[in-house]
Amino acid sequence: MTFDWGIIWHYRAALADGVAMTVLLAVATMLIAIPGGIVLALMRLSPLRPVSAASACFVEFFRNIPLILLVYWAYYVMPVAIGIEFSAFTTGLAALSLNVSAYNAETFRAGIVSIRRGQGEAALALGMSQWQVMRQVVLPQAVRRVLPVLASTWVSLFKDTSLVSVIGVSELAYVSLQIRSQTFRILEMLTAMAAIYWLLGYPQAKLVDWIHRRYGVSE
Amino acid sequence: MNATVVLDYRDVRKNFGSFVALDGVSTRVHKGEVVCLIGPSGSGKSTLLRCTNGLEKLDGGTISLDGIALPDNETGMRDVRRRMGMVFQSFELFPHRTVIANVMMGPITVLRLSRHDARQRAEALLEKVGLSEKAESHPASLSGGQQQRVAIARALAMQPEVMLFDEPTSALDPETVGEVLNVMKRLADEGMTMVVVTHEMSFARRVANRVVVFERGAIVEEGPPSQIFDAPTVARTRDFLGHLGWHG
């Protein structure tokens, strides 16, 4: 059996585009899922039952179905249900955002709940509104506290973006698999794909470790 | 004392489940008066203080500030809270902000002061509590006594009509209790109206105009410190002070 590692160099432009798309997907997802998670967490903690129940249903639904199923579902069912067809990218982004928002909601909720009651009371005693208390005193502390968890979610998300290859979003996994089926260089392409994901993911994991050390314990 | 009544408590009641925390408390706080609430743990002193600025809701009776009953809605209560300063046992400084930012937060968010004006006010207050050099530090790097002095400055930044102190020295190391009590003493000398829940009997004796003794959610006895500490008329006051080792 002979190997042709040159194939990777030959397709470097396409692979680079794939990497760019993977990064774009992960960044865009987080940009949606962080505010999304905060809104869901605040809804969950609302004293209004219907609001809190709606958030709980959302979170438990999107957290507990497999992401790949969600991707397929968004691609095939959403156009029929809503009547509008989105690009594969938008669909993939939507599926990832729903999933990660649900996870982030739980993360932020845990963070908010972990802030001592006295902190909110001290802010209320100054005459602040509930919303000012949340925005200026509770949320900033909660976000700091959950930073390590958000960082871990980011690392998982970065790899999970590969799942949207099933609907033809041209990110790294899709591009690699396309090249594989055109060239039949299965082993080379799968190895290259693994190596690229690892090279991108490893520094991120190290960064997460650093964030854990830096922000893990506070007060 | 003929001064105006600032706080008027009438038959105040509060329950936590089946536990009666306040069982019909009536008393008054006059302008410029320092009132110390003493009594065993769980006797309702802190609860009365927390009811005063609406951190707890009443189950009966009324509390009035300047003759107007506390509103029972959150928006109305906000306007009342900005007129009262509260100091907590556990300081509750905001750890994510610097010392000066802690003091500036109320004036900026609630009173809508400009950053410049809020900073000037905060600097003056930090100087007053003797912590100007800690303005840019974070609360975690301060001692307990220093944190509590910042908390007092933070409450004063709202220029309140009355200050409420909820066991302000109970969480402190003994060597830092004095610096906090000194700040409070100076505040009293300046004529601030103060309600102080405390276990510091010597402070109550030295600074209070009136001492109110609580037991089981009710007032056992109230009067000037000379009466409470030297000639208590009620046996239970004598018992309580005796338990504390007070030989008045």
Side-chain angles (χ1 to χ4, degrees):
Chain A
M1 201 176 186
T2 55
F3 298 125
D4 180 10
W5 295 103
I7 197 91
I8 299 157
W9 182 249
H10 183 73
Y11 284 101
R12 63 189 180 279
L15 287 170
D17 285 349
V19 168
M21 180 58 90
T22 292
V23 172
L24 177 67
L25 253 181
V27 169
T29 301
M30 259 310 183
L31 285 179
I32 294 170
I34 284 180
I38 290 175
V39 168
L40 285 166
L42 293 178
M43 286 171 66
R44 184 72 185 270
L45 295 166
S46 162
L48 299 170
R49 293 284 310 191
V51 174
S52 131
S55 169
C57 289
F58 181 99
V59 169
E60 292 311 336
F61 181 78
F62 287 110
R63 218 163 49 127
N64 291 308
I65 59 170
L67 184 52
I68 192 154
L69 185 63
L70 185 59
V71 171
Y72 274 124
W73 184 82
Y75 192 64
Y76 292 108
V77 180
M78 228 169 47
V80 180
I82 313 176
I84 315 164
E85 210 155 321
F86 294 104
S87 68
F89 177 80
T90 311
T91 309
L93 179 61
L96 287 167
S97 299
L98 289 169
N99 176 265
V100 179
S101 292
Y103 273 101
N104 283 355
E106 286 301 283
T107 304
F108 284 121
R109 182 166 73 107
I112 291 168
V113 168
S114 79
I115 303 301
R116 264 207 318 273
R117 205 186 134 113
Q119 285 284 303
E121 290 183 343
L124 279 179
L126 289 172
M128 290 192 196
S129 67
Q130 294 282 359
W131 171 240
Q132 288 170 330
V133 171
M134 186 51 78
R135 216 193 44 196
Q136 304 220 24
V137 174
V138 178
L139 262 184
Q141 294 185 59
V143 170
R144 243 183 116 90
R145 201 167 279 186
V146 301
L147 218 49
V149 185
L150 288 177
S152 304
T153 305
W154 164 265
V155 171
S156 305
L157 164 66
F158 192 80
K159 291 172 288 177
D160 287 349
T161 53
S162 59
L163 290 172
V164 302
S165 61
V166 298
I167 57 168
V169 180
S170 55
E171 44 65 72
L172 180 56
Y174 180 81
V175 171
S176 312
L177 298 176
Q178 286 295 106
I179 298 168
R180 179 201 62 174
S181 54
Q182 280 165 27
T183 61
F184 302 105
R185 290 292 168 188
I186 297 168
L187 190 135
E188 289 89 333
M189 284 322 296
L190 289 181
T191 308
M193 196 172 142
I196 295 170
Y197 270 112
W198 189 86
L199 285 171
L200 291 170
Y202 182 72
Q204 294 175 24
K206 286 284 119 183
L207 188 66
V208 171
D209 289 346
W210 180 81
I211 292 172
H212 268 281
R213 280 197 305 274
R214 175 80 173 70
Y215 295 101
V217 189
S218 62
E219 271 192 282
Chain B
M1 199 179 282
N2 286 322
T4 32
V5 175
V6 178
L7 286 168
D8 190 359
Y9 299 88
R10 284 191 197 167
D11 194 33
V12 173
R13 291 174 186 280
K14 174 72 191 172
N15 308 318
F16 295 109
S18 61
F19 177 72
V20 181
L22 292 172
D23 192 9
V25 170
S26 300
T27 188
R28 286 173 166 182
V29 179
H30 300 86
K31 193 166 170 52
E33 200 180 17
V34 177
V35 175
C36 283
L37 312 183
I38 66 171
S41 300
S43 59
K45 337 177 274 298
S46 289
T47 306
L48 189 72
L49 214 59
R50 292 169 58 80
C51 286
T52 308
N53 74 351
L55 290 178
E56 304 289 352
K57 281 211 180 340
L58 299 188
D59 291 320
T62 55
I63 301 176
S64 305
L65 175 67
D66 293 335
I68 298 161
L70 299 185
D72 53 6
N73 63 75
E74 193 59 27
T75 324
M77 204 56 228
R78 248 155 62 199
D79 293 328
V80 172
R81 285 191 188 121
R82 70 169 74 166
R83 293 158 58 196
M84 304 181 191
M86 178 113 173
V87 175
F88 297 83
Q89 180 178 349
S90 46
F91 330 132
E92 301 299 351
L93 293 181
F94 307 130
H96 60 300
R97 296 286 188 94
T98 60
V99 162
I100 194 148
N102 265 271
V103 183
M104 289 164 65
M105 194 187 271
I108 290 175
T109 2
V110 180
L111 303 179
R112 303 269 166 222
L113 251 62
S114 70
R115 288 197 71 80
H116 178 263
D117 293 350
R119 177 167 280 272
Q120 275 192 335
R121 190 182 278 194
E123 280 169 353
L125 286 166
L126 286 178
E127 192 175 337
K128 187 187 173 105
V129 300
L131 288 169
S132 297
E133 77 283 5
K134 297 287 184 187
E136 303 304 330
S137 308
H138 276 271
S141 67
L142 270 57
S143 74
Q146 290 172 330
Q147 289 192 48
Q148 195 61 300
R149 280 146 68 199
V150 174
I152 293 172
R154 179 178 67 179
L156 290 174
M158 299 297 290
Q159 300 184 333
E161 296 165 38
V162 51
M163 285 284 284
L164 311 173
F165 292 88
D166 190 5
E167 301 199 24
T169 58
S170 297
L172 295 177
D173 293 329
E175 65 267 27
T176 65
V177 169
E179 64 192 59
V180 173
L181 293 180
N182 283 338
V183 169
M184 290 168 64
K185 168 86 167 67
R186 240 184 303 142
L187 212 52
D189 292 343
E190 289 168 12
M192 176 61 80
T193 310
M194 293 164 55
V195 185
V196 185
V197 172
T198 188
H199 292 294
E200 294 289 333
M201 294 306 142
S202 52
F203 175 82
R205 188 192 173 95
R206 204 156 47 97
V207 180
N209 302 106
R210 195 152 48 86
V211 177
V212 182
V213 186
F214 274 77
E215 194 184 65
R216 293 176 198 201
I219 294 175
V220 173
E221 181 176 7
E222 58 181 308
S226 54
Q227 173 196 326
I228 301 295
F229 294 110
D230 300 333
T233 55
V234 180
R236 278 180 296 173
T237 303
R238 273 197 298 275
D239 290 347
F240 170 65
L241 292 173
H243 281 305
L244 292 178
W246 183 273
H247 307 292

